[in-house]
Amino acid sequence: MSTSRDDYLKTIFELGGADSHVSNKAISENLGISPASVTEMINKMQADDTVEYIPYKGTKLSEEGKLQGAKLVRRHRLWEVFLYDKLDYSWENVHDEAEVLEHNVSDFFIEKLADFLGEPKYCPHGGAIPDEEGHMPSESQKPLTDFSAGDTIRIQRVTDDKEFLMYFDKLGLKIGKKYELKEIESFTNDYVLEKKGNDFAVNLAAAKHIFVDDEN
Ligand SMILES: [Zn+2]
């Protein structure tokens, strides 16, 4: 399956490309596509003014690209809410299905869907849903790896990676809940979170997928 311009727009948006430059390496890793193909597509997108590319700095969305990216993210996340809330999908399975559904309906349908779902603000993974005009609340969360022992954090968002989500569930952590970062194990690099006397050892790879607010 080839990766479309829409996938690029959405990925750049999700990597923060609405506000700052995203490296082509990050885009290539996220989409699982060779750096050469990414460069080729970015050149095309620059030609149609959806992105601006600066050598050694990376790619940022233009105003038009931002708007298109936000609309795609809105479609994707609304479908995720529908699958999760109404069809009882587990949260690691909504992404792939939403990926297919988002391309196949009209804007009119998407607004009907938003209305039916009660205008949700977040997807099941804690990602904010842009409004109809493409506005999105700015997100202040940082990855768990930016914090130190003794900090109090609240888990706000996790990345939409299937293997990771299954691991997160197995650990028993919950989105929206507050934890204390008890210690960072020097040998295993585990981030040990604590809540009411229970410890949750999160390995380093997973800690990079967990975005939290500072509750200190
Ligand atoms: Zn999501």
Side-chain angles (χ1 to χ4, degrees):
M1 213 174 93
S2 76
T3 307
S4 71
R5 194 172 294 235
D6 282 0
D7 294 323
Y8 275 82
L9 278 173
K10 189 151 57 82
T11 297
I12 297 167
F13 190 96
E14 284 176 328
L15 291 171
D19 306 308
S20 53
H21 289 81
V22 175
S23 75
N24 284 14
K25 183 168 176 268
I27 299 169
S28 128
E29 280 173 4
N30 199 281
L31 288 169
I33 285 175
S34 74
S37 310
V38 171
T39 306
E40 197 182 316
M41 179 60 97
I42 295 299
N43 285 337
K44 282 187 200 162
M45 291 171 77
Q46 198 169 17
D48 70 21
D49 284 330
T50 44
V51 301
E52 141 201 310
Y53 173 74
I54 300 178
Y56 305 107
K57 219 172 160 197
T59 300
K60 191 179 165 184
L61 296 169
S62 67
E63 282 307 311
E64 178 56 27
K66 221 187 278 187
L67 185 65
Q68 289 182 23
K71 281 189 167 174
L72 292 162
V73 169
R74 176 172 171 80
R75 284 176 165 248
H76 184 84
R77 293 184 174 168
L78 284 169
W79 272 123
E80 286 190 342
V81 173
F82 175 75
L83 295 165
Y84 185 78
D85 281 2
K86 304 294 177 190
L87 302 188
D88 286 331
Y89 272 62
S90 57
W91 73 340
E92 73 269 19
N93 288 323
V94 297
H95 179 84
D96 291 350
E97 206 84 78
E99 203 65 28
V100 176
L101 292 164
E102 69 193 26
H103 298 296
N104 294 306
V105 290
S106 65
D107 287 343
F108 180 78
F109 180 95
I110 289 296
E111 295 321 312
K112 286 283 181 199
L113 180 63
D115 187 44
F116 172 70
L117 295 170
E119 304 288 344
K121 297 273 175 276
Y122 298 94
C123 82
H125 313 101
I129 299 177
D131 69 15
E132 222 183 317
E133 277 80 47
H135 302 124
M136 178 143 131
S138 65
E139 291 177 315
S140 59
Q141 312 115 17
K142 295 193 189 118
L144 181 57
T145 48
D146 281 10
F147 290 80
S148 328
D151 287 342
T152 305
I153 54 101
R154 187 184 296 276
I155 300 179
Q156 298 289 23
R157 179 168 68 91
V158 293
T159 63
D160 211 343
D161 176 291
K162 199 170 188 169
E163 302 297 324
F164 160 73
L165 292 171
M166 287 160 76
Y167 175 81
F168 185 90
D169 275 342
K170 209 156 67 180
L171 285 176
L173 293 168
K174 294 269 181 287
I175 277 201
K177 293 268 188 283
K178 209 158 126 177
Y179 298 87
E180 169 149 6
L181 178 51
K182 201 162 119 184
E183 64 170 327
I184 301 164
E185 259 278 351
S186 59
F187 180 64
T188 58
N189 283 326
D190 283 349
Y191 283 69
V192 183
L193 299 178
E194 197 227 301
K195 189 175 189 64
K196 292 182 186 150
N198 293 314
D199 283 356
F200 306 86
V202 182
N203 68 38
L204 177 63
K208 292 178 183 169
H209 288 267
I210 300 176
F211 292 81
V212 307
D213 269 342
D214 195 341
E215 293 278 321
N216 288 303

